[in-house]
Amino acid sequence: MGEALRHKAVLFCPPDTDVFRWARSQGILSSGRCPGNYTPLLKEVVGIAGDEIEIGSGHVVLNQRQLPMSKVLPLSYPNINRQNKLVPTGFIWVIGKASPESFDSRYFGPIPMAEILGFAEPLLVTR
């Protein structure tokens, strides 16, 4: 799938990890139908396997290009991993483009493609 996923809006279940449990306890995430009692998240895929992600500059830099609306905000979760990394095979890197405060891969890292529930397509309404 690789490159075909880039810029697609994906609906996925957050994995039941420490950072997602913390986010739910802080009211950042709601309870829902996903395993671990999370609500599904809708984000845009910006990184695919092999892409280089840098988040130490205060913004997300993907393959040496800063992404718009990608400022990394200070969160009080103590174990956020902000090291540079490659997106591993079988994973995607997602970001919320609608809000600069989106809880996305800036804070929880890459998401396994196995967690994808589906894709969202924009609708064009004309009158």
Side-chain angles (χ1 to χ4, degrees):
M1 258 183 146
E3 194 63 44
L5 280 177
R6 196 182 304 274
H7 304 297
K8 296 278 187 189
V10 294
L11 185 68
F12 64 94
C13 282
D16 190 25
T17 61
D18 289 343
V19 69
F20 284 107
R21 286 189 289 274
W22 171 83
R24 191 176 50 213
S25 77
Q26 299 300 303
I28 295 170
L29 296 178
S30 303
S31 298
R33 65 183 178 108
C34 290
N37 197 29
Y38 299 102
T39 191
L41 299 178
L42 180 66
K43 307 289 179 188
E44 182 180 333
V45 176
V46 294
I48 58 173
D51 283 345
E52 182 181 4
I53 303 290
E54 176 191 332
I55 40 183
S57 65
H59 287 81
V60 176
V61 177
L62 172 70
N63 298 327
Q64 302 179 346
R65 296 187 69 200
Q66 183 175 307
L67 296 177
M69 290 184 51
S70 68
K71 182 177 181 182
V72 179
L73 304 173
L75 291 181
S76 58
Y77 181 70
N79 297 322
I80 291 176
N81 182 353
R82 293 200 168 109
Q83 296 176 342
N84 297 354
K85 60 191 85 184
L86 292 178
V87 178
T89 299
F91 286 76
I92 55 174
W93 186 274
V94 297
I95 199 163
K97 294 271 184 130
S99 168
E101 298 179 358
S102 177
F103 186 67
D104 52 35
S105 287
R106 290 176 277 189
Y107 309 105
F108 52 73
I111 292 293
M113 287 175 49
E115 299 297 340
I116 295 174
L117 299 172
F119 302 92
E121 294 292 333
L123 296 176
L124 176 64
V125 179
T126 60
R127 295 183 192 247

